[in-house]
Amino acid sequence: KQEVTQIPAALSVPEGENLVLNCSFTDSAIYNLQWFRQDPGKGLTSLLLIQSSQREQTSGRLNASLDKSSGRSTLYIAASQPGDSATYLCAVLTGAGSYQLTFGKGTKLSVIP
Amino acid sequence: GAVVSQHPSWVICKSGTSVKIECRSLDFQATTMFWYRQFPKQSLMLMATSNEGSKATYEQGVEKDKFLINHASLTLSTLTVTSAHPEDSSFYICSARAAGLRNYGYTFGSGTRLTVV
């Protein structure tokens, strides 16, 4: 059974700092890995999608890497802003048929002005 | 881009009543939709997989008679919480995957906050 772990569970940084969020998964047989952002009481917003054949994806100040063989992904946020404060979720797509997403518990990020 | 609309965004109901939550894919056809439940400070837990035109597949521990799922069209799936009780209070989120787009990301609705009083 696929398990996804995110470290740290919570992170507080001053505005302007660069930061890294970590995600690990137990079964390397994934189709892709997706990073989401969730604001309190809201749904999920997709940030980056990395296919199993890719090593990284970039969008603006965000960069996500994937090391499928070691079961790890990182989300790098450059020049953090207070508006980046949210919970960041990592999810991997595995399985045949319905292609289920397995989520980590998330990292709650607080960027202090 | 792919957009999923979920309605209502919040609902308060009395214990014993039923509540229906709708999930619509606005600009793509979704052969498969997923329903998740999220407790405070917890991650999303998959409840069931909804396939258009067939019965939903429920995860272990999820009561199919309590959480009725209907996916009658390629753009609409509904989750009905029947005979709701306070312990059913939670945040419910749907997501959709377009037909044949295994290599694309999933799109999520904005969620429904259910409070049973």
Side-chain angles (χ1 to χ4, degrees), chain A residues 31-32 34 36 38 41-44 46 49 51 89 93 97-101 103-106, chain B residues 32 34 36 38 42-44 46 49 59 91 93 97 102-106 108-111 113:
Chain A
Y31 292 117
N32 59 47
Q34 205 165 353
F36 295 90
Q38 185 177 31
K42 303 294 184 182
L44 275 65
S46 179
L49 170 69
Q51 303 298 341
L89 295 165
L93 183 64
S98 61
Y99 302 111
Q100 292 186 8
L101 276 178
F103 283 86
K105 292 186 177 181
Chain B
T32 305
F34 302 86
Y36 295 84
Q38 186 178 34
Q42 298 293 318
S43 190
L44 281 72
L46 180 65
T49 301
E59 294 300 299
F91 192 59
I93 309 177
R97 179 175 71 89
R102 187 192 73 187
N103 292 326
Y104 288 78
Y106 284 66
F108 282 77
S110 56
R113 170 70 60 190

Side-chain angles (χ1 to χ4, degrees), chain A residues 4-15:
Chain A
V4 179
T5 303
Q6 288 187 249
I7 295 173
L11 180 64
S12 183
V13 301
E15 181 178 2

